[in-house]
Amino acid sequence: MKWFSQRALVLALVTVVPFCFAQNVSSSITGVFVDPTGAALVNVEVTLTNAGTGVKFTTRSGADGGFSLPNLLAGRYHLTATMPGFKTHETRDIVLTAGEIRSLGQIQMQIGEVRESISVEAVATAVQTSSAEKSGVITGSQLNDIAVRGRDFFTYLSTIPGVVDNFSQRRETASPDSIRGTFINGGRENQKNLAVDGVTALDTGSNSTIHYQPNMDSIAEIKVMTSNYQAEFGRNGAGVITVITKSGTRDFHGSAYYFHRNESLNANHFFNNRTGTPKAPYRYRINGYSIGGPVYVPKKWNTDRSRLFFFWSQEYVGMRKDYGTRFVNMPTALERAGDFSQSRDTNGALIPVRNPATGQPFPGNIIPASLINPLGQKMLSFFPLPNYVDPDPRLLYQRNFRSQYSGAYPKRQDMIRIDANFWPTFQFYYRFVRDKDEQDTPYGMWVNGNINYLLTPVRFGQPGKGHVVRMNKVFSPTLIYEFTYGKSYNRLYFKPVDESLMTRDKVGNPAQWFKDDNIRENYAPNIVFGGQPANPVNFSWGNIPY
């Protein structure tokens, strides 16, 4: 029955593998055994043990003394080699990064009894000798020990040689835009790739955003390949960022954290003080926890805690995002009534209003009531009245309306990973990440179109999810089957928070030249001003709803 189930599983994998595409994050360890004279040793028994989970992998050296242990997950390993007539050789703390081909070089076995042993502690190789790639690694210890403001792991990328951050992203928190602003070896910003556990998490619709970003407590390591990497890491030529998530181990481990920032700890800046603008809310709360360990029933099942493991992590972000202050020129109360006697350009000169029939300025720069179009007047009345007088005389005729907005921006992330080693020749893991990201943005983003004042915010959601399944089956020392399947996606949506403020009747129900009965929303048309006065208000929403 066991043979049948394994065979059925392999056949199922062979059937679906043509539909699956993922980058390789498996690693391997190689080496050559020799005796004190330098001659190759054949049939040395090699056992490699994962220090975290206790999973063992075995092989034997070949005719040239060489051995290879492929399809290994990133982690810390111990190697033990035994052969009759020679002392047992142990190499401890071999740190293996994702996608690495780690060569231990020549391993010299010493003559003696098997019960005698020689222990060697592995050291990280300064130069990659088994492939031509240039890369750097950010370890889990660095993520834990080096504090960053917004818990955005892209902040650490600038510690890798060849990676530059132009600080276009403030990195107050992790976000779908976090990948922006980083450049690898001079490549373009939108030509790098992000993979999580070997599955691309890049939003290929934009090439500049990501579906989700694992929180820092759920990351085992980050590898940045800057150049000369293998063809399997193709698609984007300006670098590959590979994130490996944590798995459970034989012992229980956990973490909990709470970070808090508030405007009460900040001073107001010079430009706000000059215009009399109050200090904007600056409120960030980031808290979360993680726990991982073995799944077992004491004294009944998995008693050695080496078969089944879990890792679970959640992070919550609560914040009020400051969307900045906007200044525009609104139609004044006099202008709405046709009186332009006080309308001036940026130099303070009167802006003449001419009679279209004669081409001459109206007397007193005032339009007679009989010539005012009621629909045009209704459109002007749609906009709020001026609310601001600039204290700087040079800006008096450039802006008379001020908008300032800070809105709630909650985020949440859940991640779970299950690792299983039910048979010595078969390993499996499944990982799921879910991000919730929703904000109310008033202006300044592509979802707002070109509107430049506060009317009603747009609720913009970017929820992302990601799955990955990896299976590894060893049939023989020369036949190994690895299967990886992943799905990564997001679904964007945005819509005005209060649609009643922008309905067509608010601007006088102008006629629709190209009416579309399939559009249910009854939004007002875009209203744009050109010419004088400077810096006019703009009611232009773009493509809503999405």
Side-chain angles (χ1 to χ4, degrees), residues 138 153-165 167 182 224:
I138 301 166
F153 75 72
F154 282 91
T155 307
Y156 295 90
L157 265 57
S158 57
T159 64
I160 302 295
V163 181
V164 174
D165 191 334
F167 304 107
T182 53
V224 182

Side-chain angles (χ1 to χ4, degrees), residues 464-493:
K465 295 181 180 180
H467 306 260
V468 64
V469 175
R470 178 188 181 272
M471 301 180 187
N472 185 35
K473 171 65 179 173
V474 178
F475 293 95
S476 71
T478 58
L479 180 58
I480 299 173
Y481 190 88
E482 182 180 27
F483 166 80
T484 305
Y485 170 78
K487 182 179 181 181
S488 176
Y489 61 99
N490 62 4
R491 290 193 174 96
L492 307 186
Y493 60 88

Side-chain angles (χ1 to χ4, degrees), residues 2 35 94 111 132 151 156 161 169 220 235 245 261 276 278 333 363 366 380 382 415 424 458 480 486 494 505 513:
K2 180 179 178 181
D35 64 15
I94 304 170
I111 296 174
R151 290 183 58 81
Y156 295 90
Q169 304 301 305
R235 185 183 179 278
T245 58
R261 286 173 278 159
I366 300 174
L380 290 184
F382 166 74
M415 193 204 92
V458 171
I480 299 173
F494 53 84
D505 62 292
W513 288 357

